[in-house]
Amino acid sequence: SEYETILTETRGRVALITLNRPKALNALNSQLMHEVVAAARAFDRDRGIGAIVITGSDRAFAAGADIKEMQSKSYMDVYLDDFFAEWDALAAVRTPTIAAVAGYALGGGCELAMICDFILAADTAQFGQPEIALGVIPGIGGSQRLTRAVGKAKAMEMCLTGRKMDANEAERAGLVSRVLPAADLLDEAMTVAASIAEKSLPVAMMAKEAVNRAFETTLTEGVRFERRVFHSTFATADQTEGMTAFTEKRTPVFENR
Ligand code: HXC
């Protein structure tokens, strides 16, 4: 494989990216960041892929950015490299992305999961932003995405104390869409991804764009944006197929156009 810190495979129209630095609990070093972003972008360009799942191991989704790599960096190192800005390219992926999280999702691991469109959690999952204990703060969007996901009270407490949330608390708080038995996590994530991938890819992209707009704009502007995008779905062959299939009582076959 062209990658050393991740594994990639495809199953039908679903792509799977598995973080694979087991000795470091999948700590996100620069190489892993480059590889995840490169793999996700390549799958995003592949019209044969309709959903991307990102997962780790049973023990750790990812225990954070690589502390050993960051330890000796100076302000000028991180400023001039715009350290971690590369992750923005993952947020810009248009194909739906799912994080399947078991074990630790700490610091950058929690942030990586939150960059994905939604999180499916094993009952073993633990989420946290422990950066403050290292003398830093979240740097891959954690203070922003966690606050939008769970509200100010929990986000503040987690960023200020480093306290971890277990899977059930994360579900109650709205950070994860569902909690699954650890043994079922990956199969269920792949099934959910397959159900997305059999829909119309351009329409799924539009749905994703519309939901994401809710985080970036006012309600009035967001509803206006949604309506325009909704109108534009009527320019797709897949809208015709979806509605025709319904009236003919058959399963639609989307052509992704
Ligand atoms: C580098 C890491 C690591 C990390 C674990 N390891 N997390 N290496 N960076 N973030 C390494 C350990 O050094 C160890 O390697 C091996 O993985 C196994 O970890 P252990 O600590 O022995 O395992 P355990 O006792 O089970 O404890 C698990 C843990 C603990 C609770 C997850 O590893 C931990 O607290 N890790 C750091 C969590 C953290 O602070 N994350 C936030 C990082 S900062 P060796 O070779 O020593 O045996 C971050 C910032 C983002 O993400 C942006 C702002 C800068």
Side-chain angles (χ1 to χ4, degrees):
S1 154
E2 59 194 297
Y3 304 118
E4 290 172 357
T5 64
I6 61 171
L7 305 170
T8 60
E9 63 179 277
T10 59
R11 296 187 201 166
R13 290 182 51 77
V14 176
L16 175 62
I17 298 175
T18 304
L19 311 182
N20 189 32
R21 293 188 69 210
K23 287 185 191 135
L25 300 182
N26 293 331
L28 312 170
N29 63 6
S30 297
Q31 185 182 5
L32 185 143
M33 172 173 69
H34 300 324
E35 292 186 355
V36 169
V37 169
R41 292 184 68 169
F43 287 134
D44 195 28
R45 284 190 295 270
D46 182 346
R47 293 291 166 258
I49 296 298
I52 301 168
V53 175
I54 301 182
T55 197
S57 67
D58 291 345
R59 206 171 149 216
F61 178 74
D66 192 313
I67 299 166
K68 292 164 191 171
E69 183 186 70
M70 290 186 291
Q71 184 184 0
S72 59
K73 285 189 188 295
S74 69
Y75 173 72
M76 271 309 135
D77 293 332
V78 294
Y79 179 79
L80 290 174
D81 287 352
D82 206 2
F83 195 53
F84 291 147
E86 193 176 336
W87 285 114
D88 293 349
L90 182 63
V93 162
R94 299 170 78 211
T95 308
T97 53
I98 303 172
V101 175
Y104 297 114
L106 303 179
C110 185
E111 295 171 294
L112 169 56
M114 292 190 293
I115 287 173
C116 295
D117 294 326
F118 61 96
I119 301 173
L120 293 169
D123 48 17
T124 57
Q126 294 194 61
F127 299 88
Q129 298 292 160
E131 288 89 346
I132 194 147
L134 301 166
V136 291
I137 72 167
I140 316 173
S143 65
Q144 307 304 299
R145 291 195 178 90
L146 187 64
T147 307
R148 283 167 165 80
V150 307
K152 179 179 170 184
K154 269 188 200 289
M156 255 322 171
E157 188 199 345
M158 288 176 69
C159 290
L160 291 176
T161 68
R163 178 176 76 81
K164 295 193 265 294
M165 264 200 233
D166 67 19
N168 289 322
E169 182 180 0
E171 185 185 28
R172 286 196 303 277
L175 178 61
V176 310
S177 65
R178 278 193 289 144
V179 179
L180 301 158
D184 302 340
L185 176 70
L186 190 58
D187 281 351
E188 182 62 18
M190 294 302 279
T191 301
V192 172
S195 94
I196 295 170
E198 74 187 16
K199 309 294 192 302
S200 165
L201 177 61
V203 177
M205 286 173 168
M206 290 179 199
K208 170 170 172 166
E209 238 186 304
V211 174
N212 279 336
R213 201 44 89 94
F215 290 101
E216 288 159 14
T217 192
T218 63
L219 182 62
T220 308
E221 287 305 319
V223 169
R224 199 171 276 158
F225 177 81
E226 178 198 71
R227 190 161 304 126
R228 283 291 170 264
V229 177
F230 166 70
H231 292 161
S232 71
T233 62
F234 286 74
T236 65
D238 290 336
Q239 174 267 337
T240 308
E241 167 61 9
M243 294 193 178
T244 303
F246 177 82
T247 58
E248 293 175 355
K249 300 188 190 300
R250 60 174 176 81
T251 308
V253 182
F254 293 119
E255 290 175 47
N256 301 316
R257 60 186 187 85

